């Protein structure tokens, strides 16, 4: 017989369903506004048009995989300019470090897609099934006509949200109006349908059913954020030195907490912040709204639950006022993150505005190094790749400057000018020739600079340095 003490414990804890209660307050209002802003931007952005001329797509934000380019309003990023994307990712990372070190998990509480879509799913759930008590009752109720009807309405609305979410995502990769028409008429590419199906299903499941479990069990961010936080980081906490012992209001010796559990009932993660800082807390601020409402009702000061740092806790316990918010926000760590963030941003802006409308790539042909023509002219060959980033075809004149006298010839043309189509790359074979007996023809190496000038009257002018090989005496 096995005694109860020696029985193995299960490592699996069944999920307790959570039914967050409706709440009004400053943080809830802020979250509604942020949700409207972010969802609005996400769903509507692919439909914004931007005139780039006849040769280019008119979608303001477009990840053109076929054309291997990224369009963002007036900015166009080519594949060889991937460093811009890398720079933006570095800025996003530094921004996340900055906000986390200043105010804890603000990303999780206000801006993470998992939080925003879960909030939206809960809003729909509340609209269909009612507030916390009604939803609890429905959950415990047997599967009768009312429960089936309400569940079907809710799941249908969730599916529509999932469909809109997946649909918006694929619209970023091709012309949105065309794709929308093709999707409806069954003419879209199978990859579009597959992506749409996967994103619809994951939005439906993650936002509707998995909710807080994604944050607690699947997301790595709660585990690594501790490295960015310190004792001065503002985060949400319960002032237990003020609230305890909890109990009925007006009873001598009791603290300010009346144990109403309003803070627990509104929490989308189903936790009790009075138990201290927890991994599951996404710092959404809803428990602050709930408790402030109670404090107002019982005539006690607000912020029994509020934003505070560990250093504030020490000060408040000693009867001193907390540090000002600015002292928590502006400190060496956050200033360092801000400086790095701004530095990368400025570097990207400078690179963006200094880049040329044409790129040139020169590959000298080294086998053989040179050839001697019948009249004794020494010729070197080079492969040129010219990328015209403008929305119209342009002629470019190629010239050379060096201490020696060299002549440019372009294969397949009579002169030194090439025409590069709009938004395209042209590969040409170019020759540099030195007259028989000239200095360049006699020298083993001559440094040369190739110039590519806009031959249509524009002021675009780029250069590339290379080497001319003469006779090896
Ligand atoms: S404890 Fe408060 S701040 Fe944390 S997740 Fe719950 S409601 Fe949000
Ligand atoms: S809402 Fe405030 S008073 Fe009510 S249980 Fe939570 S901390 Fe206590």
């Amino acid at each position: 017989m096995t005694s109860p003490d020696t029985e193995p414990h299960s490592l699996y804890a069944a999920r307790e369903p959570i039914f967050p209660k409706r709440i009004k307050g400053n943080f809830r209002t802020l979250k509604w506004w942020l949700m409207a802003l972010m969802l609005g931007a996400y769903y509507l952005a692919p439909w914004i048009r931007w005139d780039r001329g006849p040769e280019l797509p008119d979608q303001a934000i477009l990840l053109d995989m076929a054309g291997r380019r990224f369009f963002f309003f007036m900015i166009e990023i080519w594949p060889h300019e991937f460093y811009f994307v890398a720079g933006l990712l570095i800025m996003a990372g530094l921004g996340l470090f900055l906000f986390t070190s200043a105010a804890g998990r603000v990303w999780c509480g206000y801006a993470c897609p998992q939080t925003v879509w879960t909030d939206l799913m809960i809003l729909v759930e509340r609209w269909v099934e009612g507030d916390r008590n009604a939803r609890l009752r429905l959950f415990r109720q047997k599967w009768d006509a009312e429960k089936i009807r309400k569940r079907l309405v809710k799941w249908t609305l969730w599916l529509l949200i999932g469909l809109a979410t997946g649909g918006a995502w694929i619209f970023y990769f091709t012309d949105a109006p065309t794709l929308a028409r093709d999707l409806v008429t069954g003419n879209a590419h199978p990859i579009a349908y597959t992506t749409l199906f996967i994103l619809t299903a994951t939005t439906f499941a993650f936002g509707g059913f998995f909710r807080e479990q994604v944050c607690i069990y699947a997301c790595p961010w709660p585990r690594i954020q501790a490295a960015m936080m310190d004792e001065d980081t503002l985060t949400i906490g319960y002032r237990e030195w003020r609230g305890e012992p909890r109990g009925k209001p007006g009873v001598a010796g009791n603290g300010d907490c009346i144990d109403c559990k309003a803070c627990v009932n509104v929490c989308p993660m189903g936790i009790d912040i009075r138990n201290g800082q927890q991994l599951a807390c996404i710092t959404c601020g809803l428990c602050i709204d709930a408790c402030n409402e109670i404090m107002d009702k019982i005539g006690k000061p607000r912020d029994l639950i509020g934003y505070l740092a560990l250093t504030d806790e020490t000060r408040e316990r000693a009867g001193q006022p907390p540090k000002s918010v600015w002292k928590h926000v502006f400190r060496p760590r956050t200033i360092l993150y801000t400086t790095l963030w701004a530095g990368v941003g400025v570097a990207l802006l400078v690179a963006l505005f200094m880049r040329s409308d044409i790129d040139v790539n020169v590959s000298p042909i080294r086998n053989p190094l040179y050839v001697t023509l019948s009249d004794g002219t020494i010729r070197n060959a080079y492969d040129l790749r010219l990328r015209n980033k403008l929305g119209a075809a342009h002629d470019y004149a190629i010239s050379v400057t060096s201490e020696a006298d060299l002549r440019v010839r372009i294969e397949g043309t009579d002169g030194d000018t090439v025409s590069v189509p709009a938004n395209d790359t042209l590969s040409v074979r170019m020759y540099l020739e030195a007259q028989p007996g000239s200095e360049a023809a006699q020298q083993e190496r001559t440094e040369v600079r190739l110039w590519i000038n806009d031959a249509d009257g524009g002021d675009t002018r780029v250069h590339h340095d290379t080497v001319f090989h003469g006779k090896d005496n």
Side-chain angles (χ1 to χ4, degrees):
M1 205 174 86
T2 318
S3 82
D5 285 349
T6 57
E7 276 183 19
H9 293 288
S10 170
L11 294 176
Y12 175 75
R15 181 193 177 220
E16 290 291 328
I18 299 166
F19 304 92
K21 194 175 183 307
R22 186 203 310 266
I23 184 66
K24 285 184 181 162
N26 294 339
F27 288 97
R28 182 62 271 181
T29 306
L30 174 67
K31 276 169 71 71
W32 285 141
W33 277 106
L34 288 174
M35 180 203 274
L37 206 70
M38 288 184 281
L39 290 180
Y42 174 71
Y43 287 128
L44 297 179
W47 300 92
I48 302 172
R49 303 291 100 187
W50 191 263
D51 185 10
R52 300 188 180 90
E55 305 277 350
L56 288 172
D58 68 347
Q59 188 157 313
I61 303 172
L62 181 68
L63 277 152
D64 182 2
M65 304 300 263
R68 300 197 300 152
R69 254 171 292 166
F70 171 49
F71 297 95
F72 186 81
F73 294 90
M74 74 289 284
I75 299 169
E76 191 180 333
I77 306 288
W78 292 67
H80 69 289
E81 295 170 328
F82 189 77
Y83 56 87
F84 280 110
V85 179
L88 288 175
L89 289 175
I90 291 170
M91 283 182 76
L94 286 170
L96 205 53
F97 293 176
L98 170 64
F99 280 105
T100 306
S101 74
R105 292 175 67 183
V106 277
W107 163 259
C108 304
Y110 304 95
C112 171
Q114 176 61 23
T115 302
V116 174
W117 263 273
T118 299
D119 235 11
L120 182 63
M121 297 301 200
I122 292 174
L123 179 70
V124 168
E125 183 174 88
R126 199 176 285 137
W127 182 63
V128 176
E129 298 179 349
D131 205 1
R132 176 181 161 80
N133 290 344
R135 300 209 305 283
L136 259 170
R137 218 172 21 250
L138 191 74
F139 174 72
R140 292 178 186 140
Q141 193 171 310
K142 64 178 178 15
W143 281 92
D144 57 8
E146 185 205 8
K147 184 163 178 172
I148 292 171
R149 180 178 56 78
K150 286 187 172 171
R151 285 286 198 265
L152 284 178
V153 172
K154 179 176 81 173
W155 291 339
T156 306
L157 291 172
W158 282 359
L159 264 178
L160 289 175
I161 291 171
L163 198 62
T165 305
W169 179 257
I170 56 177
F171 290 156
Y172 282 94
F173 293 84
T174 188
D175 182 60
T178 312
L179 180 59
R181 196 176 52 240
D182 289 348
L183 282 171
V184 174
T185 55
N187 293 319
H189 194 281
I191 289 177
Y193 289 110
T194 310
T195 312
L196 183 59
F197 173 77
I198 292 172
L199 290 177
T200 303
T202 46
T203 308
F204 180 74
F206 288 3
F209 294 96
F210 299 154
R211 295 186 180 177
E212 80 289 347
Q213 298 178 90
V214 176
C215 313
I216 297 172
Y217 302 116
C219 181
W221 183 236
R223 281 139 189 99
I224 54 179
Q225 63 171 341
M228 280 143 243
M229 293 168 67
D230 56 30
E231 67 279 3
D232 265 315
T233 300
L234 288 166
T235 188
I236 290 173
Y238 167 65
R239 292 181 161 89
E240 51 90 6
W241 56 95
R242 202 190 114 186
E244 302 296 321
R246 62 188 79 162
K248 284 190 175 167
V251 174
N254 276 358
D256 287 353
C257 175
I258 60 169
D259 206 16
C260 62
K261 297 201 167 47
C263 52
V264 182
N265 291 342
V266 298
C267 179
M269 306 301 288
I271 57 173
D272 187 342
I273 192 68
R274 295 173 301 168
N275 295 335
Q277 290 290 314
Q278 291 153 71
L279 182 84
C281 176
I282 56 169
T283 67
C284 65
L286 297 185
C287 52
I288 301 179
D289 283 343
C291 191
N292 279 344
E293 196 177 277
I294 300 296
M295 292 298 113
D296 290 347
K297 278 184 189 157
I298 64 172
K300 295 280 184 186
R302 288 183 147 220
D303 291 334
L304 176 57
I305 300 174
Y307 267 99
L308 75 159
L310 278 176
T311 49
D312 289 335
E313 183 178 333
T314 314
R315 291 170 67 92
E316 285 191 30
R317 280 181 190 277
Q320 295 167 347
K323 279 198 229 169
S324 86
V325 170
W326 300 115
K327 284 193 176 161
H328 288 299
V329 172
F330 293 108
R331 52 206 163 82
R333 180 191 281 239
T334 56
I335 291 169
L336 175 68
Y337 287 145
T338 310
T339 310
L340 290 173
W341 185 88
V344 177
V346 169
L348 285 181
L349 277 178
V350 170
L352 189 67
F353 288 108
M354 283 187 62
R355 64 185 186 161
S356 165
D357 292 333
I358 186 159
D359 282 332
V360 60
N361 187 282
V362 180
S363 306
I365 308 296
R366 294 295 184 227
N367 190 16
L369 277 178
Y370 64 88
V371 292
T372 309
L373 303 185
S374 57
D375 66 352
T377 300
I378 300 296
R379 171 188 273 185
N380 282 202
Y382 305 81
D383 279 339
L384 250 66
R385 275 170 63 84
L386 299 167
R387 185 181 286 115
N388 175 14
K389 299 189 215 162
L390 296 166
H394 265 257
D395 288 342
Y396 294 98
I398 299 167
S399 57
V400 60
T401 51
S402 77
E403 289 180 1
D405 187 18
L406 292 168
R407 193 171 53 202
V408 175
R409 286 199 192 283
I410 307 293
E411 194 173 73
T413 72
D414 292 336
D416 56 6
T417 302
V418 291
S419 182
V420 189
N423 295 291
D424 211 342
T425 303
L426 178 81
S427 296
V428 288
R429 173 67 55 91
M430 182 200 77
Y431 301 110
L432 289 183
E433 294 177 352
Q435 293 293 312
S438 66
E439 196 183 339
Q442 303 295 324
Q443 281 188 168
E444 188 183 342
R445 289 169 58 90
T446 304
E447 306 288 333
V448 297
R449 173 165 286 185
L450 293 172
W451 285 97
I452 291 87
N453 296 292
D454 190 336
D456 291 334
D459 51 11
T460 301
R461 179 177 161 86
V462 294
H463 65 81
H464 187 97
D465 292 331
T466 184
V467 171
F468 180 88
H469 287 273
K471 273 188 175 175
D472 192 359
N473 295 313

